[in-house]
Amino acid sequence: MKVLKFGGTSVANAENIKLVLDIVINKSQEEKLVVVVSALSKVTDLLQLAASKAAANDETFKDIVTEIEKKHLEALKQLIPVSEQSGLLSHIKRIINHLETLLDGCFLLGELSPRTLDTILSFGELLSSYIIAEALKQKLKNSRYKDSRELIKTNNNFGKAAVNFEVSNQLIADFFASNENQVVVLPGFIATSEDGINTTLGRGGSDYTAAIIAGALNATDLEIWTDVNGMFTANPKIVKQAQPIATISYQEAMELSHFGAKVLYPPTIQPVLRKNIPIIIKNTFEPQTEGTLISNIVSAQTNPVKGISHIDNITLVTLEGSGMIGVAGSSKRLFEVLSNESINVIFITQASSEHSICIGILNSDAETAEIAINRAFQIEIAQNKIDPCIVEQNLCIIALVGENMKNHQGLSGRMFSTLGKNNVNIRAIAQGASERNISVVINERDVKKALNTLHENFFEENTKQLNLFVMGVGNVGEKFIEQIHQQKKFLKENLKINVRVIAVSNSRKMYFDEDGMPLKEWQSLLEKGESANKEQFIANVKALNLRNSIFVDITANEEVSKTYDQYLKQNVAVVTCNKIACSSAYDNYKNLKSLSRKFNAPFLFETNVGAGLPIIDTVKNLIASGDKVHKIQAVLSGSLNFIFNNFDKNNTFHDVVKEAGVQGFTEPDPKIDLSGIDVARKILILIRESGYQMEIKDIENKSFLPKDCMETTNNEAFFASLKEHARHFESILAEANQKESRLKFVAQFENGKASVGLQFIPKDHPFYNLEGKDNIVLFYTDRYVDQPLLIKGAGAGAAVTASGIFADVIRIGNV
Ligand code: ADP
Ligand code: ASP
Ligand code: MG
C-alpha cells in the first residue's frame, strides 16, 4: 500500500484536481492507496484571516467566507455531473453555514481562542477532502472518504498538537484492516484530542498526516505531490539555478526542512524514518519527472553540500552579563522560560566564555520572549549581573546542509568568505555537532543575494554571475552591449562567467529587468522604460541587492561621476570610462579607492587612459610587484594624434577636427580634447596610479589653441573660431615641416613635475611614427632604466573603448 499526499496547489481548483484524480486512478490499478489532501490553495490563510477579522469586530470576514464558498462550489460544479450535484452542493453550503456560525460567535464575543481557531482552520481540509472524495467516486466506485479526526489523536496543544502515536497507530491499523476499498481519501492537517476536540498538526501539517498513516500501515512508499520537481538545492522560487536533488538521506532532508525548505513539513520524516519507508517528492504538474527520493541511503556524491535552506522572520535574543559565567543553570532557566511560553527555539549559540547566550526564534514570538526572559532574570538584572536581553528583529537564518560535510575541511570558511565578498554581514553562526549543517544569521534584506551567491559557489560549477547596471548607451555603450551579447555564450562556457545586463539608462530613459534583459532588444525596451533619474537608479540597484553587481559608467558626465561612492558603499563595483572622478580632487580619488577596499567592491577605470590598451593595469602590476615609476612620456590623445596626423597642406585644421568628430575620435565637446584638458586628466591618473599625489592644477598645460578658441562656449562657436584662426594652425604646421619633425601632443612626468603640450618630434624619436589615432606610453622605472616599458596601439574609438570596459568587467568576474 502507498500513501499519496497532494498539497494546496495540487488541489487549487477543478482543473488541478482533475490531474490529481488521473494520478490516483492510474496508481490505484496497481495497488491500494491512501490519499491525503490539503485545503485548496490559500484557503487556510483565508480562514485564518477571517477568524482574526471576526475577533477584531471587522464585518468584512463575511466577504472572505463568501470567497471561500465560491471557490468550493465552483470546483464541485466542474467536477461532478449536474445530475449528481444538488445533494453535494447543499452539503457544502451546510459546512459553510457552520463555519459562518463559528465566525459569528468570534465576532460577537470579540475573541478567538487557539481552540476555536483550530476548529475554524479545519474547514479547509474538510471541504477539500469531501469534494475530492466525491469527484473520485464518480470515476472509481471502489473508493471512499474517511475523516482523519477519527484516526489521529493528539494532545490539546492547539495550533500544533502532539500526536499520540500509540492510540493513533492502533486506530489507523484497525480501520484499514477492515477496509475493502481500493482508495481512501482523507483530509490532512486535522485531528482530534482524546476528548474529541478539533486540533491541527501545525501549518503545512498535511504532509505529517500522510506520514503518520504511512508509518502506522507500514506503507511501501510515501509520496508527497506538490508544485515543484522535488526537493531542490535551494528554494527554486528564490534561486532560479536551483536543481532538484535526486536522492537525499532522511537526516539531510530533515535538516533542510527544519531550516525552511517548506516543501516538506519537518515532523513528517519521524514516523516513516523508524520504519524505513521511502518518501518520494513529486510534481503533480509534471508527473513524469523523477522527483526526489528521501531514504536511509547516504549517497557518495562528490559535493559534500546537499542543499541550502533558509528561514525568514527570525529574531535574535541575546542574554549576556558577568552573572552568567560559571553559574550553573542559566541556560536551563532560559530554555525553561521559552518552553513555558511554547516558544520554538530554532537556533542557539553560546560564547565559550559562557558570558552570553544567543537564540534565534520567530519574529512573532519576540515580544513574548523578551517579556518572559526579563521577568525570569529580574533579580540578576536589578543587580546588574545580567543585562536586559537584547532583541534584534527581521533577520534570517541560512543553513548549508549535507551528510558528508563532516568529512570536508574549509566549508565554513568558504561559506563565510563567499558572504563576506558580497558584503553580507553575518550576525551569528552555529554549527551542529553532527556537522550536518552550518547555519548563519544575516539581515533579511540580504537573503536573496546570500542564497544565490552561496548556491553559485557550492552548486554551479563555479559559474559566477555578474549583474551589470549600465549608464550611458551612446556610441561606446552600444558597442559594449553588442560585445557582451556576442561573447555571452563563450564567457559562460569557457570562463564560467554569466554576464547579465540588469539595467540600461541614457539621459532620457532607464529600464530594469531583474532577470537580465534580452540583449537583442535592449534598445526597444529602453524606449519603453521609465524616465531617467540618477537617484532612482541608485535606489533600484540597492533594492535589487543582486550579487556581484557592477555599475558601468559610459557617460562623460560629472554628476554621474559623483555617484560612485554611493555604489561602492553598497558593495556595488564601479567600472568607468568617465575620467572625471579619477582626475577630480586627489582626496576624492583616494576616498573612492578606499571605499572600494573597505566594501570589497572593485573600482576599475582602465579605459580612462588609452581606451582599451592595458596601461593602468600594467602600472598597477609594476607598483604591486615593487617597481617604482620615475618618468612617463606619452601621447595619450587618440583624437589629437588623429588630428595632427591628418593635418597637412591639403586641408584645414577646422576640417580635420570636424572629421575626427564624425569618426567618433573626439569627446562630444571637442574642446576638451583640443585644449589639452583631456590629456592632462589622463597623465594625472597615471601619475596617481604610480603612487604620487598630484592635482590637475599642478600640471602645466601649454595649450596650442589661441585664447579666442578657448573662450568659446559651445561647439558651433568653437568650430567658427578654428576657421577664423586657420593661419595660426598653418604656421604651427609650417614650423614643424621646416624642422623636419612631426607634431605630437605630449604628456610628460619627470622629477615630480608634469606638463602637457604640443611638441615637434624629430625623426629618431619613438613618437615620430605614431599613426592614426594610436597612443603610446613610455614608463621609465627602477627596472626599465635605459629602455622604457612601451605600450602602443589604438587609443581611441568606440569598439576599443568598449572592449576595455568589457575587460574590466571580466577582471571582476575572474576575482
Ligand atoms: P504544498 O502546498 O504542495 O504542500 P508547499 O508550498 O508547502 O506545497 O511546498 C512547496 C514549496 O516549497 C515550493 O513551491 C517552494 O516554493 C518551497 N520550497 C522551499 N524550499 C524548497 C526546496 N529546497 N525545494 C523545493 N521547494 C522548496
Ligand atoms: N492547509 C494547511 C496549511 O496550509 C496544511 C497543509 O497544507 O499542509 O497549513
Ligand atoms: Mg506543504
Side-chain angles (χ1 to χ4, degrees), residues 5 7-9 225-228 230-232 234-237 260-263:
K5 177 261 169 176
T9 3
W225 289 79
T226 182
D227 60 349
V228 287
M231 192 165 226
F232 279 60
N235 185 345
K237 302 257 162 74
K262 183 180 168 230
V263 66

Side-chain angles (χ1 to χ4, degrees), residues 543-771:
L544 284 171
N545 197 10
L546 297 173
R547 66 193 186 281
N548 307 321
S549 290
I550 306 176
F551 174 64
V552 186
D553 177 9
I554 318 185
T555 71
N557 185 301
E558 181 168 2
E559 292 310 309
V560 177
S561 78
K562 287 183 180 160
T563 60
Y564 299 167
D565 58 338
Q566 297 189 57
Y567 289 104
L568 296 170
K569 281 179 194 162
Q570 294 296 326
N571 175 241
V572 173
V574 173
V575 167
T576 177
C577 63
N578 180 349
K579 291 178 262 305
I580 298 177
C582 288
S583 57
S584 64
Y586 182 78
D587 285 349
N588 186 44
Y589 158 84
K590 245 349 216 194
N591 179 43
L592 292 174
K593 292 220 135 190
S594 78
L595 287 176
S596 158
R597 264 192 305 277
K598 178 167 174 199
F599 292 95
N600 200 10
F603 173 42
L604 300 178
F605 41 87
E606 181 59 76
T607 46
N608 277 195
V609 183
L613 294 177
I615 301 177
I616 292 181
D617 200 44
T618 306
V619 179
K620 274 191 187 157
N621 289 336
L622 288 179
I623 304 296
S625 63
D627 205 353
K628 192 166 167 50
V629 177
H630 303 292
K631 177 175 163 187
I632 305 171
Q633 236 191 337
V635 175
L636 292 174
S637 171
S639 337
L640 287 175
N641 214 29
F642 176 89
I643 290 166
F644 286 109
N645 279 344
N646 287 285
F647 179 37
D648 59 27
K649 277 183 260 155
N650 306 321
N651 52 32
T652 66
F653 190 69
H654 165 276
D655 290 352
V656 180
V657 176
K658 258 267 145 74
E659 180 58 24
V662 171
Q663 295 205 25
F665 297 145
T666 57
E667 297 279 327
D669 171 3
K671 207 166 73 178
I672 295 184
D673 291 308
L674 276 87
S675 62
I677 293 181
D678 192 56
V679 175
R681 284 176 176 163
K682 289 175 181 170
I683 189 80
L684 178 68
I685 294 169
L686 285 187
I687 294 167
R688 287 176 171 177
E689 287 295 300
S690 302
Y692 299 93
Q693 181 170 351
M694 193 177 275
E695 298 289 353
I696 192 89
K697 64 175 173 34
D698 302 330
I699 298 175
E700 190 189 354
N701 187 347
K702 304 171 190 162
S703 178
F704 64 90
L705 283 184
K707 201 157 161 271
D708 268 6
C709 303
M710 288 291 280
E711 283 167 0
T712 55
T713 51
N714 59 50
N715 281 2
E716 207 181 324
F718 179 70
F719 277 108
S721 80
L722 290 184
K723 246 186 189 154
E724 255 170 53
H725 290 274
R727 276 279 171 76
H728 166 76
F729 301 110
E730 279 162 21
S731 72
I732 298 176
L733 180 64
E735 189 179 346
N737 288 340
Q738 186 240 324
K739 290 181 171 162
E740 291 191 352
S741 53
R742 286 188 175 161
L743 288 167
K744 301 287 166 199
F745 196 83
V746 177
Q748 214 150 269
F749 169 72
E750 193 171 10
N751 295 329
K753 286 205 168 18
S755 66
V756 297
L758 206 53
Q759 292 187 8
F760 299 105
I761 301 292
K763 268 202 172 102
D764 54 354
H765 194 280
F767 292 178
Y768 185 85
N769 283 320
L770 205 60
E771 298 296 334

Side-chain angles (χ1 to χ4, degrees), residues 5 7-8 38-39 44-45 125 188-189 202-207:
K5 177 261 169 176
S38 285
T44 314
D45 289 338
E125 269 70 8
F189 181 54
R203 292 301 309 269
S206 293
D207 298 343

